[in-house]
């Protein structure tokens, strides 16, 4: 029974992320970034790019910086990202790892890892 409830919670969380990202895409956002955790910020600006939280994803219109640069700037402000897409194309695993290397440290993460 316990395994079933864990599986159901995992499926529900995944569907929430997919629906949030799909909703952002439907509203015309060029960049869509899904953070790994909650950030508490409804909006922010990286260089000259304004980001807005829609559902579980940060969205922005097209900007002059390269996608990886925007991803790194956002990760530096909100922490690790679960996904990042530009114009409907998701960053690959290696690029997302490079992006997340610039993520801000989450307080208590080093203690929890021990």
């Amino acid at each position: 029974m316990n395994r079933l409830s864990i599986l159901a919670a995992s499926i529900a969380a995944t569907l929430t992320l997919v629906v949030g990202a799909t909703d952002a895409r439907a509203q015309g956002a060029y960049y869509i970034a899904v953070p790994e955790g909650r950030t508490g910020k409804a909006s922010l600006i990286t260089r000259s790019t304004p980001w807005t939280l829609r559902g579980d994803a940060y969205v922005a219109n097209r900007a002059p910086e390269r996608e990886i640069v925007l991803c790194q700037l956002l990760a530096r402000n909100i922490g690790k990202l679960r996904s990042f897409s530009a114009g409907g194309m998701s960053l690959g695993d290696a690029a997302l790892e490079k992006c997340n290397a610039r993520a801000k440290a989450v307080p208590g993460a080093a203690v929890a890892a021990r």
Side-chain angles (χ1 to χ4, degrees), residues 9-30:
S10 176
I11 290 171
T14 301
L15 288 174
T16 300
L17 289 173
V18 170
V19 169
T22 303
D23 180 48
R25 223 176 282 114
Q27 294 181 13
Y30 188 80

Side-chain angles (χ1 to χ4, degrees), residues 19 22 29-30 48 50-51 56 58 66-67 85 87 98 107 111 113:
V19 169
T22 303
Y30 188 80
S48 62
W51 294 86
D56 290 336
Y58 280 91
R66 292 178 300 136
E67 286 82 7
S85 63
K98 181 179 178 182
V111 175

Side-chain angles (χ1 to χ4, degrees), residues 16-51:
T16 300
L17 289 173
V18 170
V19 169
T22 303
D23 180 48
R25 223 176 282 114
Q27 294 181 13
Y30 188 80
Y31 301 108
I32 302 171
V34 179
E36 283 192 352
R38 302 228 179 254
T39 66
K41 296 181 180 182
S43 62
L44 61 109
I45 297 176
T46 58
R47 288 195 185 153
S48 62
T49 305
W51 294 86

Side-chain angles (χ1 to χ4, degrees), residues 2 4 32 38-39 47 50 59 81 89-90 102 106 111:
N2 192 18
L4 184 58
I32 302 171
R38 302 228 179 254
T39 66
R47 288 195 185 153
V59 297
L81 301 177
M89 302 292 291
S90 295
R102 298 287 177 102
V106 177
V111 175

